[in-house]
Amino acid sequence: MSTELAVADRAWVTTSPALDCSVETVICIPSFRRPKHLRLTLDSIAAQRTERRFAIVVVENDAAHCESAPVAAELLNSGELRGVCIVEPRQGNCQAINAAFETALETFPNAQNFLMIDDDEVASPDWLERMVQAAESSGAAIIGGPVWPNFDDKHKGGLKRHPAFAPAYHASGPVPVIYGCGNCLIRRAVFERLGQPAFDLRFNFLGGGDHDFFARARRAGFRFFWVTEAVISETVPSTRTNLGWIVRRGLRIGAINYHIERKAAQTVWSRAAVKAKMFGLVPFSLYRFTRIVLREHQAVIAMHPMVVAIGSALAVLGIEPQPYAASKIAA
């Protein structure tokens, strides 16, 4: 389906009064069934310590109930924040993110910096300033920062070291690539080079569209930079700290890894090699389990490479989770 048709089917909810479309920085927030937390997210954006003019684009991705749109409209209409809110009727992770970036690119033609934060996250007061400063000083096209978990169950603090929750890097500076868009800044040139839709819809319900996007950006020659001080915190409910959820998360990561590598493989032989690699990772993961359990003394952390490897092998067989289908999302 063409981008033009998708845009035409989106509903414009509200625009803040006297919207300045000449801003150079836009924050994109896809939202799905988290109206209470979206308010916390937007409050944290309104509290940013910066002199820079910026706008927001909020995408409501639950067209049937639209619980998030009134929250965004309230802050936009009051003038507390400036920007727009739209409804993307096509449900799914990639659909919502693409709607946010496409709307931002078209509505703010002078914007060069496009940040993203999820609707279950809260930005630290200097987040925007540190991200944009890093883009300007480093010359990198893509900036990433840490998302630290804030567990509802305070007894789960040990999971901060689990790969499902821990940031990819712990020091500021150039990095090979980043993996998630929950705390990122992307320069306009990246979208122009990679084309639309930015996030491949094949990852719409599996997740991993961001990982795929950044992998393509790396192959295109764009540079990445990490800002440890540009902190975002993510609210993690107790439903996401039980063993079942952690295992499903690992299986999903494994499936994403397989699809990204298979997508990059251009020949029959290279695709066969990818499949062989995915099955070969399973026995190797047993060795990694032993090393990690001796270091961390937590089986739930040590088992992560095994679960990821199994997820990759299952994806080769066509078995994979679909966590971003509406029927699988409770909140």
Side-chain angles (χ1 to χ4, degrees):
M1 184 171 293
S2 70
T3 299
E4 291 78 8
L5 181 56
V7 171
D9 287 350
R10 292 169 189 155
W12 205 270
V13 176
T14 192
T15 302
S16 60
L19 180 64
D20 182 2
C21 293
S22 68
V23 298
E24 295 187 354
T25 299
V26 183
I27 302 172
C28 296
I29 311 113
S31 188
F32 185 81
R33 297 181 182 173
R34 292 191 183 115
K36 292 182 180 179
H37 204 289
L38 175 63
R39 183 177 294 276
L40 300 178
T41 303
L42 295 178
D43 285 344
S44 75
I45 293 172
Q48 290 297 296
R49 293 190 292 229
T50 182
E51 298 298 320
R52 302 177 191 271
R53 295 181 300 114
F54 67 91
I56 67 169
V57 173
V58 179
V59 176
E60 167 66 83
N61 197 216
D62 185 11
H65 300 96
C66 284
E67 296 177 332
S68 299
V71 176
E74 178 186 333
L75 274 73
L76 289 170
N77 292 333
S78 69
E80 188 171 349
L81 286 167
R82 295 181 179 181
V84 301
C85 176
I86 66 168
V87 175
E88 169 53 70
R90 296 169 183 78
Q91 193 270 318
N93 176 261
C94 293
Q95 292 282 19
I97 295 172
N98 284 337
F101 284 134
E102 288 166 12
T103 301
L105 287 161
E106 293 177 9
T107 307
F108 305 96
N110 294 332
Q112 297 299 317
N113 306 309
F114 299 87
L115 295 92
M116 186 176 144
I117 182 171
D118 286 331
D119 65 347
D120 59 351
E121 297 177 341
V122 171
S124 56
D126 297 314
W127 169 67
L128 183 148
E129 186 64 27
R130 292 184 183 277
M131 293 290 277
V132 178
Q133 281 183 357
E136 294 174 343
S137 62
S138 70
I142 300 172
I143 311 297
V147 177
W148 286 105
N150 181 17
F151 298 110
D152 280 351
D153 185 348
K154 302 307 178 184
H155 296 95
K156 300 289 186 176
L159 289 176
K160 284 187 176 181
R161 302 193 307 277
H162 193 285
F165 302 107
Y169 307 102
H170 295 281
S172 297
V175 292
V177 70
I178 67 172
Y179 301 96
C181 62
N183 184 1
C184 72
L185 180 153
I186 306 169
R187 300 281 284 178
R188 179 179 287 269
V190 182
F191 295 108
E192 293 175 344
R193 176 83 64 84
L194 299 187
Q196 301 292 341
F199 282 27
D200 190 333
L201 294 178
R202 284 175 286 187
F203 295 91
N204 195 40
F205 295 118
L206 171 65
D210 45 3
H211 188 173
D212 171 70
F213 177 82
F214 294 132
R216 287 185 283 128
R218 182 184 185 185
R219 291 196 295 271
F222 289 107
R223 292 189 293 118
F224 296 77
F225 194 89
W226 187 262
V227 188
T228 304
E229 300 79 11
V231 175
I232 279 178
S233 63
E234 175 188 23
T235 299
V236 182
S238 57
T239 54
R240 294 189 179 186
T241 54
N242 62 60
L243 182 60
W245 186 92
I246 291 172
V247 168
R248 290 192 295 273
R249 176 68 175 262
L251 294 173
R252 180 171 74 90
I253 292 172
I256 290 168
N257 292 343
Y258 164 66
H259 284 292
I260 289 174
E261 291 203 30
R262 187 185 185 282
K263 183 179 175 182
Q266 300 298 312
T267 67
V268 172
W269 294 110
S270 60
R271 287 192 288 271
V274 168
K275 292 181 179 181
K277 174 185 175 181
M278 297 300 116
F279 286 114
L281 288 173
V282 176
F284 179 69
S285 69
L286 296 174
Y287 165 73
R288 295 188 64 193
F289 170 84
T290 303
R291 287 189 60 189
I292 297 172
V293 79
L294 291 175
R295 183 181 72 238
E296 296 289 346
H297 306 293
Q298 286 199 53
V300 70
I301 296 178
M303 66 186 285
H304 181 72
M306 295 175 56
V307 177
V308 171
I310 292 169
S312 296
L314 289 174
V316 174
L317 301 175
I319 304 170
E320 59 191 40
Q322 297 282 293
Y324 289 103
S327 61
K328 303 293 180 64
I329 302 175

